[in-house]
Amino acid sequence: MNRVLFQVHHLHERTAPAPYQDLVQRLEAMLDAVEDGVLATDDHGTVELANRAAQQLWGYGAEEMAGKSLDELLENGPAHRLPLVGGTDGPEFAGHAFGTRLELSARRKSGDAFSAEVRIVPSPGACPSSYHVTVRDLTQARRSTGERLEAEERYALALRGADDGLWDWNLMSDTLYLCPRWKAMLGYDENEMGSTPDEWFSRIHPEDVYWVRAGLDAALKGGQRNFESEYRMVHRDGSFRWVLCRGIAVRDSEGRPVRVVGSQTDVTSRRVHDPLTGLPNRTLFADRLARLLARGRQGEGYPCAVLFLDLDRFKVVNDSLGHAAGDQLLVEIARRLETCLRPHDTVARLGGDEFTILLDDIRHAGDALRVAERIHQALASPFRIGPHELFASASIGIALSRGRDDRADDLIRDADTAMYRAKARGGARHEVFDSLMRARAVERLQTETQIRRALEHQQFVLRYSPVTTLDTRECAGLQAQLHWRNPERGLQAPAAFVPIAEEIGLARAIGLWSVRTACRQARDWRLNEAPGPVFISLRFSGRRLAQIDLAEDLDKILAETGMEAKLLRFEISENMIMENPDQAATILERLTERGLRVMIDSFGTGYSSLSYLHRFPIQGLKIDPALVGRVDIDEESAEMVRTIAMLARALSLEVVADGVETQAHATKLLDLGCRYAQGRFFSEPLDAPAAGELITASSASVPLAGQAG
């Protein structure tokens, strides 16, 4: 801060002309504006004038200050240390030349002592033995300086200890300051980067640099004052780090941006690790795999392998014990997977119950197979989750790197494809990806696309298989079977596309189309051709059954088509019920409350638990074709069919034998107590016109659903 010392002539005259008095008043006002204390004395060191700062410094008023001597105001002052000596050469202070700054002690009116920086100079004019004294309070100045230095030290220590890297971009000079921590985040020393903005932007991931610049532009143009963005920056070792960058634009008095200052935080751990298990997530796994493949392309490593794991029946744990138990199980599984690997291998959680493993530098395919075996063994022991003992298994797909053209996404996809093959073959096993799987994967992708278009282009059709009364050979009802008239492959059975439709989320739309079409067709037959009521039976998938809004959807269709609820049946498998018994019970109860009938499909080869026949609202059983096809040659199969028929009669359930292929089958089934049957022996699946003709040809009234025995 600039300091100005004002010196004024000592005024011997108490009276003076008006212009001179005006000048004195102006000079006194100027002295009052000075921050330092200013005193004017006579030749004896007695104060004649004191400015406002001097009065405040000592705590005296103007009249009190007048007449005080420097000896009173300065404790070690002129009287005993700096004697005043008059003479033609001017006074001296004990050998000190005039104008020398001295540090003296002083005491305020209150009695408080303070250190003062004092400068005494002679007054020019007629009285050379009078003085002007300037005084500064060193105690307060030192306290302020100390506080400033302490604050600066705290700030420096805070910067040094902070995890953030600070940056300051001077827009006027286009120079960029990057603090040492900012550089250290990317693996550089303090003196290894320049001061141009390119040091920053050239290290941003190519896919992110546009958004970073766009955010900065918005802050600079005034759209928003603050800047914040998460993006990737390349580290010195070639890897990418996720950073959170925050900044604020500084503007001049006219609102123009002159600087942007901010901080940068490394958030890689949050962005690339799974918060539940602590394992790397998909992003970090893919990055490590990509770097490993790049090293292989340079001839610096052995082949690698990716293992893709999906837990078998994990949904049952979540549905039965809750998601907290499911999460705890995932954590325990993660810890076991870590024990199966070498230190430089990587296990990651992709999400849900899916894990991936990266095996680095394997010598041959057998190494990957042995790791898969160790995983199966590690998961074989039971898990203790709270009071429950749980068992887990996994389907594992293995993909091996092949050469210079390998890409991380392709290898993960191939391992995923192999995992689905393992799961399709029963789970708790592993499969190695091969070229045939790739061809099937491409075919599946094409199928998914075609299924999405099939609904729009009305390529789905229903074909009807008659349910026949064995003793009269009359049509009692029809099972509607969904088919897909694929333009390239012809008529496709449900097994070729329904599982895929479920996975891509089209099960609901296709299911509703099937029910609506069947109900409309049944209404038309009854109005135009049928001699009596004919029931329509449809198979329902597990995923469709699990949708809680199923009953409401059916209400709308029945109201829209005029179909009687008692003539509509749904066939579900035992496995569908047992996957989530509580939910199944709720949904089935809502269906039967509306008068709809539910049958267990493929009965006799699944769980076949008698308990659920009492627990769930079920009106019929459909005997599995695997049993029906052997009733005429295998006594054990025949006895099982007889037992099922007797059980159905005892529980007032309808029973239908499915899969009748020969006259021998039909004859034997009638002897075993089955009244209704279905199969190619009676008819191939029919289109709607042919099914209508079959109904018309049926001469007797058809028993209503529920009247069969």
Side-chain angles (χ1 to χ4, degrees):
M1 177 186 298
N2 294 328
R3 299 189 300 272
V4 180
L5 174 64
F6 292 94
Q7 297 182 355
V8 298
H9 291 285
H10 178 60
L11 300 179
H12 294 282
E13 302 290 340
R14 292 299 179 188
T15 60
Y20 196 66
Q21 291 180 352
D22 181 63
L23 176 61
V24 170
Q25 293 175 355
R26 289 168 59 192
L27 291 175
E28 288 180 344
M30 293 173 64
L31 283 173
D32 285 341
V34 177
E35 292 183 356
D36 293 340
V38 178
L39 304 174
T41 72
D42 61 15
D43 53 355
H44 299 292
T46 301
V47 174
E48 290 188 325
L49 183 145
N51 72 344
R52 182 173 294 127
Q55 298 168 25
Q56 294 174 347
L57 183 62
W58 270 278
Y60 293 110
E63 295 181 357
E64 290 179 294
M65 289 288 289
K68 296 276 185 192
S69 68
L70 293 182
D71 290 326
E72 296 178 76
L73 299 177
L74 301 173
E75 291 187 345
N76 52 352
H80 58 279
R81 282 192 59 204
L82 306 173
L84 303 175
V85 180
T88 58
D89 296 329
E92 295 181 353
F93 286 145
H96 291 276
F98 270 102
T100 300
R101 287 182 173 83
L102 303 173
E103 183 174 337
L104 303 176
S105 296
R107 189 170 299 275
R108 294 180 173 80
K109 180 180 179 180
S110 64
D112 295 335
F114 66 94
S115 295
E117 180 187 80
V118 180
R119 186 184 183 198
I120 301 179
V121 296
S123 298
C127 300
S129 58
S130 61
Y131 324 109
H132 290 156
V133 183
T134 62
V135 182
R136 170 173 296 179
D137 185 352
L138 290 180
T139 302
Q140 181 61 36
R142 286 170 177 166
R143 182 182 298 117
S144 300
T145 301
E147 291 174 352
R148 177 177 57 80
L149 292 175
E150 184 179 358
E152 290 176 352
E153 183 179 5
R154 285 199 302 266
Y155 179 68
L157 291 173
L159 287 183
R160 191 177 304 165
D163 196 42
D164 290 353
L166 303 184
W167 53 272
D168 184 344
W169 185 5
N170 188 322
L171 300 176
M172 308 307 293
S173 62
D174 199 29
T175 56
L176 179 68
Y177 167 75
L178 301 172
C179 81
R181 174 58 186 151
W182 194 101
K183 300 173 183 178
M185 284 183 190
L186 303 180
Y188 294 92
D189 293 333
E190 183 174 355
N191 59 352
E192 288 189 283
M193 288 187 184
S195 59
T196 65
D198 189 59
E199 298 284 3
W200 177 9
F201 293 110
S202 65
R203 291 178 169 85
I204 300 176
H205 193 288
E207 296 178 3
D208 300 337
V209 67
Y210 170 81
W211 301 108
V212 177
R213 287 188 177 275
L216 280 168
D217 287 344
L220 295 178
K221 292 177 180 178
Q224 56 187 43
R225 185 165 181 253
N226 296 328
F227 161 74
E228 181 171 323
S229 179
E230 280 193 21
Y231 53 89
R232 292 161 290 179
M233 296 197 71
V234 63
H235 191 272
R236 187 171 193 167
D237 62 11
S239 66
F240 281 96
R241 299 289 198 272
W242 279 96
V243 298
L244 170 61
C245 186
R246 295 188 178 98
I248 186 170
V250 180
R251 304 179 184 278
D252 61 15
S253 58
E254 298 181 4
R256 293 173 300 189
V258 294
R259 295 168 61 199
V260 189
V261 296
S263 65
Q264 178 169 285
T265 308
D266 189 333
V267 295
T268 303
S269 180
R270 170 168 61 82
R271 291 294 299 257
V272 299
H273 283 84
D274 171 48
L276 176 64
T277 63
L279 296 177
N281 65 7
R282 180 187 293 272
T283 300
L284 181 55
F285 182 85
D287 178 67
R288 290 184 180 177
L289 176 57
R291 293 169 60 194
L292 190 59
L293 293 175
R295 194 180 74 185
R297 283 192 290 270
Q298 297 169 359
E300 299 176 1
Y302 290 98
C304 64
V306 173
L307 277 63
F308 198 112
L309 286 74
D310 186 89
L311 302 181
D312 301 323
R313 298 177 57 79
F314 178 74
K315 184 176 182 295
V316 176
V317 177
N318 276 339
D319 291 343
S320 58
L321 301 181
H323 288 277
D327 288 347
Q328 187 178 348
L329 178 59
L330 290 173
V331 173
E332 294 296 325
I333 288 174
R335 302 290 81 84
R336 290 199 189 180
L337 292 178
E338 290 175 322
T339 66
C340 299
L341 307 179
R342 300 167 297 177
H344 55 278
D345 294 331
T346 299
V347 56
R349 180 183 177 222
L350 299 194
D353 59 342
E354 293 181 338
F355 296 85
T356 50
I357 292 174
L358 173 59
L359 302 180
D360 185 3
D361 287 349
I362 62 172
R363 304 288 172 160
H364 45 74
D367 294 340
L369 296 175
R370 280 189 289 274
V371 172
E373 290 291 351
R374 287 203 300 270
I375 292 172
H376 290 310
Q377 294 172 8
L379 298 181
S381 301
F383 293 84
R384 175 62 64 177
I385 306 298
H388 306 284
E389 187 177 70
L390 305 179
F391 289 86
S393 64
S395 300
I396 305 175
I398 303 172
L400 304 170
S401 62
R402 294 172 295 275
R404 305 180 68 86
D405 296 332
D406 285 327
R407 296 176 61 251
D409 290 344
D410 293 341
L411 214 55
I412 295 173
R413 180 204 61 205
D414 292 347
D416 187 19
T417 300
M419 180 276 295
Y420 273 106
R421 170 59 62 88
K423 191 171 288 289
R425 292 185 172 180
R429 57 180 292 139
H430 53 270
E431 294 285 340
V432 179
F433 182 84
D434 57 29
S435 58
L436 184 59
M437 288 186 189
R438 186 185 299 276
R440 282 196 292 262
V442 172
E443 181 181 355
R444 176 189 170 89
L445 181 61
Q446 294 173 344
T447 301
E448 290 181 6
T449 303
Q450 292 171 347
I451 291 175
R452 294 183 186 278
R453 295 173 179 168
L455 266 176
E456 179 183 351
H457 297 147
Q458 299 181 350
Q459 294 174 357
F460 291 114
V461 296
L462 292 181
R463 296 175 68 84
Y464 300 90
S465 293
V467 177
T468 303
T469 307
L470 282 173
D471 54 354
T472 64
R473 301 297 172 92
E474 296 166 350
C475 178
L478 296 164
Q479 182 193 38
Q481 299 176 348
L482 177 68
H483 287 72
W484 174 22
R485 201 179 300 280
N486 190 308
E488 299 176 2
R489 305 172 192 171
L491 198 64
Q492 301 286 297
F497 64 91
V498 169
I500 300 176
E502 291 181 343
E503 291 180 14
I504 62 178
L506 287 180
R508 181 175 187 270
I510 295 176
L512 292 179
W513 179 89
S514 300
V515 176
R516 183 176 287 106
T517 301
C519 289
R520 286 174 176 169
Q521 187 61 69
R523 177 195 60 193
D524 293 344
W525 284 331
R526 185 171 184 183
L527 292 176
N528 303 320
E529 299 162 335
V534 176
F535 68 76
I536 297 291
S537 178
L538 298 103
R539 273 200 183 98
F540 251 52
S541 69
R543 295 194 184 185
R544 186 67 189 103
L545 181 66
Q547 294 176 340
I548 200 66
D549 59 350
L550 175 59
E552 287 73 17
D553 287 340
L554 295 176
D555 284 341
K556 295 176 183 177
I557 292 175
L558 293 175
E560 173 190 327
T561 62
M563 179 72 171
E564 295 181 66
K566 65 182 180 181
L567 298 180
L568 190 59
R569 302 181 180 187
F570 294 105
E571 301 175 9
I572 60 176
S573 70
E574 298 173 83
N575 294 346
M576 293 178 190
I577 292 179
M578 301 312 295
E579 282 184 0
N580 192 336
D582 293 336
Q583 186 181 55
T586 299
I587 295 176
L588 295 180
E589 187 68 37
R590 298 181 71 184
L591 294 181
T592 55
E593 286 174 353
R594 289 160 168 76
L596 302 165
R597 298 174 64 80
V598 178
M599 299 187 70
I600 299 298
D601 187 25
S602 302
F603 187 82
T605 58
Y607 288 93
S608 297
S609 171
L610 298 181
S611 63
Y612 71 67
L613 295 180
H614 292 280
R615 178 180 177 185
F616 301 107
I618 296 167
Q619 289 77 43
L621 305 175
K622 201 165 189 179
I623 304 175
D624 193 279
L627 290 177
V628 173
R630 297 177 57 83
V631 291
D632 59 331
I633 59 174
D634 180 59
E635 188 61 30
E636 182 176 345
S637 297
E639 285 303 315
M640 288 188 66
V641 171
R642 187 193 307 275
T643 301
I644 293 172
M646 293 174 58
L647 175 66
R649 284 195 297 272
L651 297 176
S652 299
L653 301 176
E654 181 179 307
V655 61
V656 177
D658 191 13
V660 177
E661 300 285 342
T662 66
Q663 177 65 54
H665 292 162
T667 302
K668 186 68 174 179
L669 288 168
L670 190 58
D671 293 341
L672 294 174
C674 292
R675 185 177 181 187
Y676 298 102
Q678 175 184 342
R680 295 182 182 275
F681 172 69
F682 304 107
S683 173
E684 294 287 340
L686 306 170
D687 59 18
E693 294 176 3
L694 177 66
I695 295 172
T696 302
S698 183
S699 57
S701 295
V702 179
L704 289 176
Q707 293 181 343

